[in-house]
Amino acid sequence: GILMRPIFPMRSEMFRLAGIGAGSFDPLRTFYSRRIGKAVAGEPIPILSGLKMTTRSGSGSLGALAAYTDRLEDSTGVLEPRRGFAVLSGRARLPDATRVGALFSGTVADADDYNYALAGDWGFQSGPNRGAIEAALSDHSGRLGWAVNSGYSGFIGNFMTWAEVQVIDDSFSVGDIGYVP
């Protein structure tokens, strides 16, 4: 049987970097569940199996997701090979409204066709002031890349301030598992 896609979007926030929740700050998306079973040439790729486990407590959360998709072919040949997906996520709340998180995401079809990303984030909130720093490394079939993203929203003195700095290396690629903002 073919697995239905709705299992993946539920609690999908556990498989994202947290961001700061204000302004137009756009967190890095090193995993995007719609890449699993995506359409190629107008045909959805069949999802053969999937597993998702999540847990939350007052001090943090853990999540794991795995999926395996079938090959997609047409009269011209293979459009998409069989592919495995995996995501591991952990987030902890620390004192003073500080949080840290880590996220691994990856997909592999064979030894020459893979895409992995390892990302981490740190964030804080103090009254109306919020900030976050995110960093990620990617490996797309041997091509290594990196990205750094940070943002701040809040008051400096009497002035409402918002700032964002995003630096994405040309070699950073999560196209098979996420997307680059």
Side-chain angles (χ1 to χ4, degrees):
I2 304 296
L3 187 65
M4 298 302 290
R5 290 200 83 257
I7 187 174
F8 299 115
M10 295 182 320
R11 286 202 172 172
S12 63
E13 74 280 356
M14 294 184 83
F15 300 104
R16 289 192 288 247
L17 296 175
I20 62 174
S24 62
F25 180 80
D26 193 8
L28 297 171
R29 304 282 185 199
T30 58
F31 174 68
Y32 185 55
S33 66
R34 293 191 182 272
R35 295 282 189 237
I36 301 171
K38 67 183 178 192
V40 174
E43 291 292 321
I45 298 168
I47 301 170
L48 298 176
S49 62
L51 171 70
K52 182 164 75 171
M53 297 182 297
T54 61
T55 183
R56 290 184 190 190
S57 71
S59 62
S61 63
L62 293 171
L65 183 146
Y68 188 65
T69 58
D70 202 0
R71 174 180 21 216
L72 184 63
E73 298 181 35
D74 70 3
S75 60
T76 64
V78 176
L79 298 175
E80 180 72 19
R82 286 193 170 117
R83 189 174 290 280
F85 291 84
V87 185
L88 298 171
S89 171
R91 184 163 294 124
R93 288 191 180 100
L94 304 174
D96 299 327
T98 301
R99 60 169 170 63
V100 295
L103 179 73
F104 167 82
S105 55
T107 183
V108 63
D110 60 45
D112 297 322
D113 183 2
Y114 59 89
N115 194 182
Y116 303 119
L118 179 61
D121 69 344
W122 170 85
F124 75 90
Q125 179 175 354
S126 177
N129 301 312
R130 299 174 179 197
I133 298 173
E134 306 169 333
L137 301 171
S138 70
D139 183 350
H140 195 178
S141 300
R143 184 176 176 206
L144 302 177
W146 58 271
V148 176
N149 194 22
S150 64
Y152 172 80
S153 161
F155 287 90
I156 297 178
N158 292 327
F159 295 97
M160 177 63 176
T161 306
W162 179 85
E164 179 179 348
V165 175
Q166 188 175 75
V167 181
I168 299 176
D169 178 48
D170 289 341
S171 297
F172 184 74
S173 175
V174 291
D176 292 336
I177 49 176
Y179 63 88
V180 176

